[in-house]
């Protein structure tokens, strides 16, 4: 959804109606998660995807129908045992989509959402999916207040409170209420779609490997910063567009920078005068992943220095060193893939083993 918002904003500003399909629930193996979106606009232009190609043709027709009728629809698609070539998910899963028309009249909150996402401000969009409340009605909850309505004061109050909680976690999913916001009832289904700012990737050491890691970090959706104390290397022209480049001592920059449980820290300097104070700071603050480049001899020497600096076994256990998975990588680009693979595996609990050598679900339930 975040990726297609700029185009949707153009249609909205031109006062052109468009159909918006959003994945609101999934079961078993599916190619896209809740929140994935596809829109059909003027001239039958399509942006986004809800299934990786399995049901897009049917969703295209649905989007056209809801624009013509002005009424939102809830549809579920699953694998067809009778006809493997029929509309369905050949991966064996099932997705439920809310398909609704978007115009200035039906969705007056849309500009507030687009503006918040573009500015990097956290915001949750709550949309009625099913039940006695108006399907497609939206409530927008951000750090600066609430806009829109689900046409029930009690429902607005309960959903706004839950939206703030989901936003703090960056969570997206369905919640159920009574018609007036009763939490022990489930007659009204509301989809809470949280747009949190992109997670950060902090890359230390402005070397060729850093450029490759920064590039793949941007591809994965991170807001990337490269930091190095040497101004001759830390220049924007050496890195992809959109990457922030900072000239500062790494440990000093990190000390002045906020991190959270989604932050990725990649230390590529492999120089003790940079690494030790930097990792001492990194291993004592929130982060999803902390990796350091270097040979096994470098790792052993660095570990001794970190122990001398007073780090505990628990703190040292957070360090992924040497950085990356064993892919046999040689070039900076290949090393960046191995680092990205380890970051993804750590995030979702993957083993890093070839899927052909494993059994069971590819995407186990969280």
């Amino acid at each position: 959804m975040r990726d297609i918002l700029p185009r949707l904003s153009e249609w909205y500003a031109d006062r052109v109606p468009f159909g918006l399909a959003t994945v609101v629930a999934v079961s078993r193996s599916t190619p896209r998660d809740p929140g994935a979106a596809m829109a059909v606009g003027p001239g039958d232009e399509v942006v986004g995807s809800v299934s990786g190609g399995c049901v897009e043709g049917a969703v295209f027709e649905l989007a056209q129908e809801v624009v013509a009728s002005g009424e939102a629809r809830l549809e579920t698609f699953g694998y067809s045992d009778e006809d493997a070539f029929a509309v369905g998910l050949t991966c064996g899963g099932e997705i439920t989509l809310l398909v609704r028309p978007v115009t200035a009249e039906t969705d007056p909150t849309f500009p507030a959402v687009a503006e918040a996402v573009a500015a990097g401000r956290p915001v949750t969009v709550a949309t009625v999916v099913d039940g006695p409340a108006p399907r497609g009605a939206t409530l927008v909850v951000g750090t600066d207040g609430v806009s829109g309505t689900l046409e029930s004061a009690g429902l607005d109050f309960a959903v706004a409170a839950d939206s703030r909680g989901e936003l703090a976690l960056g969570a997206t999913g369905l919640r159920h209420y009574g018609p007036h916001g009763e939490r022990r009832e489930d007659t009204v289904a509301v989809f809470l779609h949280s747009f949190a700012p992109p997670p950060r990737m902090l890359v230390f050491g402005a070397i060729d490997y850093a450029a490759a890691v920064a590039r793949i970090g941007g591809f994965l959706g991170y807001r990337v910063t490269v930091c190095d104390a040497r101004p001759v290397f830390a220049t924007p022209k050496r890195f992809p567009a959109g990457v922030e480049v900072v000239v500062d001592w790494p440990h000093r920059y990190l000390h002045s920078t906020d991190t959270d449980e989604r932050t990725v820290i990649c230390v590529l300097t492999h120089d003790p005068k940079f690494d030790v104070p930097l990792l001492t700071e990194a291993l004592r603050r929130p982060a999803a992943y902390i990796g350091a480049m270097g040979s096994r001899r470098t790792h052993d020497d660095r570990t001794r220095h970190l122990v001398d600096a007073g780090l505990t076994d628990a703190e040292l256990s957070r360090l992924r060193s040497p950085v990356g998975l064993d892919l046999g990588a040689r070039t900076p680009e290949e090393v960046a893939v191995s680092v990205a693979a380890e970051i993804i595996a750590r995030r979702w609990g993957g083993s890093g083993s070839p899927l052909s050598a494993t059994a069971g679900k590819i995407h186990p339930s969280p």
Side-chain angles (χ1 to χ4, degrees), residues 21-338:
T22 305
V23 178
V24 297
V26 301
S27 65
R28 301 188 299 278
S29 177
T30 57
R32 303 301 302 274
D33 292 326
M38 168 181 156
V40 179
D44 293 337
E45 180 181 352
V46 178
V47 292
S49 172
V50 292
S51 74
C54 301
V55 302
E56 263 70 5
V59 176
F60 174 82
E61 295 179 1
L62 274 173
Q64 292 179 314
E65 291 172 9
V66 300
V67 169
S69 68
E71 297 181 357
R73 291 175 58 176
L74 189 68
E75 297 286 343
T76 297
F77 295 92
Y79 179 75
S80 171
D81 291 324
E82 292 78 17
D83 183 0
F85 295 98
V87 171
L89 293 170
T90 55
C91 55
E94 184 176 272
I95 62 171
T96 299
L97 303 174
L98 175 67
V99 189
R100 62 188 181 95
V102 178
T103 66
E105 291 73 27
T106 62
D107 192 354
T109 64
F110 181 87
V113 176
E115 181 183 354
V117 173
R121 296 195 306 270
V123 64
T124 294
V125 182
T127 308
V128 174
V129 170
D130 204 7
R135 179 176 291 161
T138 57
L139 186 76
V140 177
V141 180
T143 55
D144 54 354
V146 178
S147 61
T149 180
L150 307 183
E151 300 193 12
S152 162
L155 186 59
D156 286 351
F157 182 83
V159 170
D162 289 346
S163 295
R164 292 186 181 95
E166 297 293 87
L167 189 56
L169 299 172
T172 287
L174 276 175
R175 299 293 289 266
H176 295 85
Y177 307 87
H180 302 292
E182 300 90 341
R183 297 181 185 278
R184 295 187 179 182
E185 298 184 27
D186 59 1
T187 56
V188 180
V190 180
F191 182 64
L192 306 185
H193 191 178
S194 295
F195 294 89
R200 297 199 66 183
M201 173 182 280
L202 305 177
V203 181
F204 294 97
I207 60 177
D208 289 343
Y209 291 95
V213 170
R215 187 175 298 110
I216 204 167
F219 176 75
L220 292 176
Y222 288 93
R223 179 163 69 93
V224 182
T225 298
V226 175
C227 175
D228 197 302
R230 302 164 296 180
V232 67
F233 295 112
T235 60
K237 66 181 180 181
R238 300 186 64 235
F239 296 94
V243 172
E244 179 187 29
V245 180
V246 174
V247 179
D248 200 351
W249 278 83
H251 71 283
R252 185 168 59 191
Y253 174 75
L254 183 57
H255 182 74
S256 64
T257 300
D258 291 333
T259 62
D260 60 25
E261 287 73 14
R262 302 183 303 156
T263 303
V264 165
I265 299 173
C266 298
V267 179
L268 310 182
T269 48
H270 51 83
D271 183 331
K273 69 175 178 290
F274 294 121
D275 289 2
V276 174
L278 172 59
L279 288 171
T280 300
E281 175 72 27
L283 293 169
R284 289 173 171 166
R285 59 165 51 229
Y289 175 90
I290 303 170
M293 176 177 279
S295 67
R296 298 196 186 280
R297 179 177 179 179
T298 297
H299 167 74
D300 291 340
D301 290 342
R302 185 165 50 211
T303 300
R304 283 192 290 270
H305 286 302
L306 291 171
V307 170
D308 292 341
L311 270 76
T312 66
D313 289 344
E315 290 167 339
L316 289 170
S317 69
R318 302 179 61 206
L319 179 61
R320 314 301 297 177
S321 175
V323 70
L325 296 185
D326 180 13
L327 305 182
R330 293 291 189 274
T331 67
E333 291 74 19
E334 290 174 345
V335 170
V337 170
S338 78

